[in-house]
Amino acid sequence: MTETRKKVLVVDDDEMLRDLAADILSAEFEVQTARDGQEGWEKAQAWRPDLVVTDLMMPRMHGYELCGLLKGPDGIPGVKIIVSSSKTFTTDVAQARDAGADDYLVKPYMPAEMLKRVRGLFGLGGAATAPAPEPEMSITGRGAAPDPEELRARPAGEGRLPVYVRFWGTRGSCPTSNAKVAGYGGNTACVELRVGDTPIIFDCGTGLRELGDSLIAEFAGKPLQAHIFVGHTHWDHIQGFPFFTPFYNPKNKFNIFSVHGAHGSLGRIFTQSMSLDYFPIPLASLGAKLGFVEMKGPVDLGVAKISFQHLNHPGVCIGFRVETQGKVVTYLSDHEPFSKLGGVSDLSLRQDAEIAAFARGSDMVIREAQYTEAEYATRKGWGHATYDDAAKFALESGVKRMAITHHDPYHTDAMLDENIAYCRGLIRQGGGKTDCFGAREGMCIDI
Ligand SMILES: [Zn+2]
Ligand SMILES: [Zn+2]
């Protein structure tokens, strides 16, 4: 007598791990696979699996969003979910459970452990972990669909447009202000990449306020359109948002790009950040036309093409690669190397190599380094890198120039000078040619 075999859908963008999980599970279960969250969601709707084993960081659709959809009102009733990720941040375990995961299995894992977890969830023996609470609310609101006209607002035109990078906020974690940090600046993450007269903005830390003032002065009453890319929505990357004065002018238009949040849509995160408990003016009252775009792949702005890559930081965090006018600029903040956090393994080395490959060929990489190795000893798992990590990255990726940013609020100008010189020294010792420097507020560099 044979029982119907349970159906398990394995969703992972890493081919090797996807095949491994499928091999382990197919001995006892019927298994299908999908290459990312989007394909996983499509297959789940058609095949109605009993269990979905999903990775977190994947192109097109990440694992949190897939969990939300599977357990949402249009999801698969009764489906179980195991999130399997190399992310070991406690935040991610908690967020995965909030999103609907029944269990969380850290990669790399032993085959027996995977089988035990799956059998446990199906009540087939083997200890299951405690079930996660049902998600409190369904995921609603998918962000405004991109308006192709707006994305192509400024055609490239004849010849090559001038490209420059300007730093408006170079501090990480928390804004700071005193005479000892004035050289590198105290505003949090905000970088402007200018292609002709099109501003492309990375992150909305407190530096965004002065960028807004500068754009208003420059555009002198003419309508302003800009594209804003947000790597993640921790405070130091969004606190300048309500203070960006161009948002208050009805003539202006902005698209805000990122990916779906761990707990809901991108638009909802920004709406909540400006709810009356936090700010006197709600987002809906801003005069300018704002579109929230959840990226599923590269975005073509006409003057520039922007792709994204998941980084290793608590929650959802992505980096951006911009290809424009024959040049490449990459923005990677915040990120703790996989092999640094989880230890050296085939998997972690492959993941680190993927980040280096994402930046390869860049004329400039803007990336974080927040700690010395001594400081890192007590800050492991906070989602940030050291100067040694940045130097290693420069040697691996071979990028032309590397701006170190997201400076620790406790680092004075003197400490930063020393730390950056140390990083430069490591690159030289390793035979690298990358020109490494510390990003300072106000610094403007032609690309
Ligand atoms: Zn940060
Ligand atoms: Zn962060």
Side-chain angles (χ1 to χ4, degrees):
M1 194 178 75
T2 50
E3 240 178 85
T4 320
R5 300 215 305 176
K6 296 275 190 193
K7 297 196 280 187
V8 182
L9 176 63
V10 175
V11 187
D12 200 319
D13 61 324
D14 186 301
E15 191 184 353
M16 207 182 286
L17 292 175
R18 189 170 66 234
D19 291 349
L20 174 73
D23 277 355
I24 295 168
L25 296 170
S26 57
E28 291 187 31
F29 310 103
E30 204 179 323
V31 178
Q32 287 200 11
T33 60
R35 286 164 299 181
D36 59 33
Q38 184 68 41
E39 192 180 83
W41 173 231
E42 284 157 16
K43 282 204 172 173
Q45 286 172 292
W47 192 51
R48 319 296 284 183
D50 301 294
L51 169 70
V52 175
V53 178
T54 181
D55 185 24
L56 280 182
M57 297 174 286
M58 296 179 286
R60 299 208 297 167
M61 184 192 290
H62 56 63
Y64 297 112
E65 186 174 3
L66 177 61
C67 289
L69 287 168
L70 288 168
K71 296 276 177 112
D74 302 320
I76 316 292
V79 71
K80 304 276 186 199
I81 302 174
I82 296 178
V83 164
S84 179
S85 169
S86 54
K87 294 188 88 184
T88 54
F89 300 107
T90 49
T91 321
D92 286 288
V93 179
Q95 290 193 149
R97 294 211 174 247
D98 282 352
D102 298 280
D103 200 355
Y104 195 105
L105 178 60
V106 172
K107 290 177 189 167
Y109 50 77
M110 299 302 286
E113 185 62 24
M114 166 65 96
L115 260 182
K116 188 173 129 190
R117 303 285 187 104
V118 175
R119 291 176 60 86
L121 278 179
F122 287 146
L124 299 170
T129 53
E134 286 298 309
E136 272 176 31
M137 57 180 88
S138 59
I139 306 292
T140 53
R142 313 275 302 148
D147 174 351
E149 282 310 304
E150 281 181 43
L151 298 185
R152 294 172 186 283
R154 292 167 195 278
E158 299 296 315
R160 184 183 175 276
L161 296 170
V163 180
Y164 68 79
V165 164
R166 186 156 180 183
F167 295 95
W168 294 92
T170 60
R171 202 57 63 168
S173 306
C174 181
T176 181
S177 171
N178 64 65
K180 288 182 175 172
V181 299
Y184 284 87
N187 279 310
T188 59
C190 182
V191 176
E192 175 190 9
L193 170 66
R194 183 64 80 89
V195 183
D197 56 1
T198 302
I200 299 171
I201 299 165
F202 296 99
D203 282 340
C204 304
T206 59
L208 186 70
R209 184 180 62 86
E210 286 176 45
L211 168 56
D213 295 344
S214 161
L215 289 172
I216 285 172
E218 180 188 339
F219 280 73
K222 281 184 287 177
L224 170 61
Q225 290 194 22
H227 308 283
I228 301 175
F229 288 80
V230 180
H232 71 306
T233 52
H234 285 161
W235 273 349
D236 49 329
H237 299 256
I238 63 163
Q239 267 187 328
F241 191 86
F243 299 96
F244 187 62
T245 319
F247 283 155
Y248 296 82
N249 184 339
K251 283 193 286 189
N252 297 338
K253 286 184 187 171
F254 302 94
N255 275 323
I256 295 125
F257 297 87
S258 190
V259 288
H260 193 76
H263 300 288
S265 73
L266 179 64
R268 193 178 82 161
I269 295 171
F270 278 92
T271 303
Q272 284 181 334
S273 78
M274 289 178 71
S275 68
L276 291 174
D277 284 332
Y278 305 106
F279 201 71
I281 303 163
L283 186 122
S285 300
L286 295 178
K289 189 160 179 262
L290 298 189
F292 288 93
V293 183
E294 294 183 349
M295 295 172 79
K296 300 291 181 194
V299 168
D300 192 349
L301 301 177
V303 292
K305 196 177 143 203
I306 291 115
S307 50
F308 71 89
Q309 163 77 40
H310 282 280
L311 303 176
N312 197 33
H313 192 65
V316 177
C317 183
I318 56 174
F320 301 101
R321 177 187 171 102
V322 186
E323 295 178 22
T324 179
Q325 317 300 307
K327 301 281 178 178
V328 179
V329 175
T330 307
Y331 179 78
L332 303 172
S333 183
D334 308 4
H335 176 64
E336 185 168 356
F338 291 94
S339 54
K340 188 95 165 185
L341 180 63
V344 173
S345 66
D346 286 352
L347 174 62
S348 64
L349 292 176
R350 197 159 75 239
Q351 289 173 312
D352 286 339
E354 202 180 306
I355 308 281
F358 181 70
R360 196 156 291 137
S362 293
D363 295 276
M364 184 187 286
V365 166
I366 300 151
R367 65 149 293 154
E368 76 134 278
Q370 189 156 345
Y371 306 130
T372 63
E373 289 299 312
E375 287 166 339
Y376 180 78
T378 56
R379 290 163 175 78
K380 188 173 173 159
W382 290 20
H384 297 291
T386 65
Y387 301 99
D388 289 60
D389 297 331
K392 199 165 155 241
F393 167 86
L395 292 170
E396 268 179 40
S397 62
V399 297
K400 227 179 256 178
R401 274 187 285 186
M402 178 168 74
I404 300 284
T405 189
H406 207 273
H407 308 308
D408 190 88
Y410 290 100
H411 286 181
T412 61
D413 292 339
M415 287 161 80
L416 283 171
D417 284 344
E418 201 178 303
N419 294 341
I420 303 272
Y422 167 77
C423 186
R424 253 199 310 266
L426 288 180
I427 295 169
R428 268 200 301 270
Q429 278 170 31
K433 294 198 168 61
T434 303
D435 172 19
C436 168
F437 62 94
R440 292 167 179 262
E441 216 170 289
M443 195 180 236
C444 190
I445 296 165
D446 288 324
I447 302 293

